[in-house]
Amino acid sequence: MTFEFTKTREMIPELPDVYFLGQNHFGQFKKSIKDEKFYEKIDWSQFSENPFSNILNFDIAVTVNYSAIAVDSKLFISTIDLKENVISDEKPLLTKTFSFDSLISKVSANTSYCLILLENGDLFQIMIGTFEKRQISCLNVEVTPEKKSIFVENRNSVRNLEKIVDIACGETVCVAVTNLNAVYNIPNLTFNFPKHTKIRKICCGNEHSMILTANGDVFTWGTGLRGQLGHGEIQNEEVPKLVEGLAGLKVVDISAGGWSSAAITSFGDLYMWGWNSHGQLGFRVFDVSSPSTQNPSKNQTVYTIPTLVSLDDEESDEPSLEISCKKVFCGSKHTLVLTEDGKLFVTGSNVYKQLGLEENFKPNSLKKDQFLDNFTELQPKLPKNVKNYKISCAYSCTLFIENK
């Protein structure tokens, strides 16, 4: 979650308050790793001896086994000692610090490595475990030769002006886009959108990637074996392909979960598709009308096309109100939706309390993997209104990042 600045960028007096929910078994947040955390505030003093002040850039990325925190041109990686495959409170907490020659623009991460994009367009990778830092050069790699023309501008003639402007990282995929509308499955050039098509947002699930363009089109590619691409088929796509199930709708926000995808339209409607193993799509996992309460019949698990989701309580007798969705945030197996009026709805896995709900759920849940399989309004236990926070969902946790 990167802060956006105008040309007259002002310094942030201090780091924003960040509250987290969910799994902390690897000391990602410098707290005891014994229990799941519930609206705990990150103590920045544990990451550096020097106080953070007059900040220009801040970003944070969290995975199942570490957190990566960018402050201006420094990166702090927090985890436990990974030399032995044992998790316990006795394992020492580690903070690795890395410095760069330019301000960090964005951080994205998976369990194996962390990607760091600098404001000057340079891209770096830090391997988790060895903490090796190396620069990645993906621009101008495998550029297809083009015929020269006196009438049109050749891409190869301007590629020296190309600069990476955004990155996204999944568990098995990592993507970069450039100011020339090129899309890289790092380090290889995968696709080049026409000049008039502007890329607004990119995101990655475990094995697939999504792109939202400025005119509201959604493209997906990667592994589609759990329906996460939304093309109506269980198959893979090597290059970005238009999600035709959203054709005619202007999409304003997207998010990719582990094996799921979400989109919000300009009308405030929420569409989801992919794997609904833990109710992360907001559809019932089990048939609530099943006559057997011991072994209820299972509903559809894989949704291969974008499907409209209702945030209304289908079991409530009260009249439903029109709910307009604004932003959607997908974790590996949980989903949060922020509405236009500032309400927050949650669904999916709550095994680490990442939904912000303390109770477990019965009867529509599995004994070892507790989950909620319909969107339910959440009243976050935060010092300020939820509108004052940016929200980020990681593998098994949720972050609320104060707007500054």
Side-chain angles (χ1 to χ4, degrees):
M1 188 69 65
T2 306
F3 286 89
E4 297 178 356
F5 298 94
T6 62
K7 291 182 179 179
T8 57
R9 176 165 53 188
E10 296 181 357
M11 291 183 175
I12 305 171
E14 57 186 13
L15 288 181
D17 291 339
V18 177
Y19 296 86
F20 63 94
L21 306 166
Q23 192 255 63
N24 184 47
H25 292 176
F26 287 78
Q28 297 97 310
F29 306 113
K30 293 294 186 186
K31 299 284 185 177
S32 168
I33 64 175
K34 185 176 182 180
D35 302 313
E36 290 76 47
K37 299 306 169 186
F38 205 67
Y39 293 108
E40 287 215 29
K41 181 180 174 180
I42 295 179
D43 181 0
W44 298 122
S45 66
Q46 298 188 63
F47 291 86
S48 175
E49 295 180 356
N50 300 318
F52 298 108
S53 60
N54 297 327
I55 308 302
L56 286 173
N57 278 13
F58 168 80
D59 198 14
I60 181 171
V62 182
T63 73
V64 69
N65 59 335
Y66 69 96
S67 64
I69 295 145
V71 182
D72 288 345
S73 59
K74 290 187 179 295
L75 183 77
F76 303 89
I77 291 182
S78 175
T79 184
I80 61 173
D81 190 341
L82 300 172
K83 292 180 181 178
E84 299 178 9
N85 191 24
V86 178
I87 301 174
S88 72
D89 272 333
E90 285 71 40
K91 298 282 283 186
L93 298 176
L94 300 178
T95 298
K96 295 291 184 178
T97 305
F98 302 86
S99 297
F100 298 88
D101 294 333
S102 177
L103 291 175
I104 298 173
S105 172
K106 187 172 183 179
V107 177
S108 193
N110 61 28
T111 57
S112 300
Y113 55 82
C114 176
L115 291 180
I116 303 97
L117 176 63
L118 305 186
E119 282 198 346
N120 62 11
D122 289 344
L123 183 63
F124 287 83
Q125 180 186 61
I126 294 175
M127 303 302 298
I128 304 303
T130 63
F131 298 107
E132 175 190 0
K133 170 186 170 184
R134 66 187 183 96
Q135 187 169 0
I136 298 177
S137 299
C138 61
L139 302 188
N140 306 328
V141 176
E142 297 188 8
V143 175
T144 304
E146 297 179 8
K147 294 181 179 180
K148 292 184 178 181
S149 170
I150 63 174
F151 302 107
V152 296
E153 185 179 47
N154 293 293
R155 182 180 184 278
N156 283 351
S157 66
V158 297
R159 68 185 184 214
N160 289 333
L161 302 176
E162 191 170 23
K163 173 183 174 181
I164 297 175
V165 293
D166 202 0
I167 56 172
C169 201
E171 194 56 37
T172 62
V173 293
C174 52
V175 177
V177 297
T178 74
N179 57 334
L180 298 182
N181 281 344
V183 179
Y184 287 82
N185 277 343
I186 299 173
N188 301 318
L189 177 64
T190 299
F191 191 77
N192 215 114
F193 282 94
K195 184 180 294 186
H196 65 271
T197 301
K198 300 302 180 184
I199 297 173
R200 179 177 174 183
K201 183 177 181 179
I202 61 172
C203 52
C204 291
N206 282 352
E207 302 173 328
H208 74 294
S209 305
M210 302 178 69
I211 281 179
L212 173 63
T213 65
N215 63 354
D217 291 329
V218 178
F219 294 80
T220 63
W221 74 104
T223 299
L225 300 183
R226 292 181 173 91
Q228 61 265 47
L229 299 186
H231 301 309
E233 299 174 338
I234 305 296
Q235 65 181 30
N236 304 336
E237 296 291 341
E238 293 186 358
V239 298
K241 180 179 178 180
L242 179 68
V243 179
E244 295 182 358
L246 296 170
L249 300 172
K250 183 176 181 178
V251 175
V252 295
D253 192 35
I254 58 172
S255 186
W259 294 276
S260 63
S261 302
I264 291 178
T265 71
S266 58
F267 295 108
D269 292 328
L270 171 66
Y271 288 83
M272 298 201 69
W273 61 97
W275 201 30
N276 193 47
S277 60
H278 291 69
Q280 59 264 50
L281 303 188
F283 305 125
R284 292 291 187 185
V285 174
F286 294 103
D287 184 357
V288 294
S289 63
S290 173
S292 173
T293 57
Q294 295 295 326
N295 297 293
S297 60
K298 206 166 188 181
N299 283 329
Q300 179 179 346
T301 302
V302 173
Y303 293 75
T304 61
I305 60 173
T307 305
L308 184 64
V309 184
S310 173
L311 270 62
D312 293 330
D313 187 351
E314 59 190 43
E315 298 179 357
S316 174
D317 295 329
E318 297 183 6
S320 61
L321 300 175
E322 184 175 345
I323 299 174
S324 180
C325 302
K326 182 179 181 180
K327 301 285 290 184
V328 59
F329 315 92
C330 295
S332 178
K333 296 175 182 177
H334 72 294
T335 306
L336 281 73
V337 172
L338 181 65
T339 65
E340 287 286 354
D341 58 359
K343 294 181 180 179
L344 196 61
F345 289 80
V346 299
T347 189
S349 175
N350 192 53
V351 68
Y352 296 111
K353 308 297 187 296
Q354 62 263 50
L355 296 185
L357 299 169
E358 297 183 82
E359 67 271 18
N360 289 324
F361 312 108
K362 295 180 181 180
N364 302 314
S365 59
L366 302 177
K367 290 183 178 179
K368 66 177 181 178
D369 284 330
Q370 302 295 333
F371 61 83
L372 186 67
D373 58 357
N374 67 303
F375 277 100
T376 299
E377 186 177 353
L378 173 69
Q379 300 291 339
K381 298 178 180 179
L382 295 167
K384 300 178 182 178
N385 187 291
V386 70
K387 286 185 176 181
N388 295 316
Y389 296 88
K390 296 176 184 291
I391 300 172
S392 177
C393 286
Y395 179 84
S396 53
C397 70
T398 303
L399 303 179
F400 293 89
I401 306 165
E402 181 188 14
N403 281 311
K404 283 225 176 189

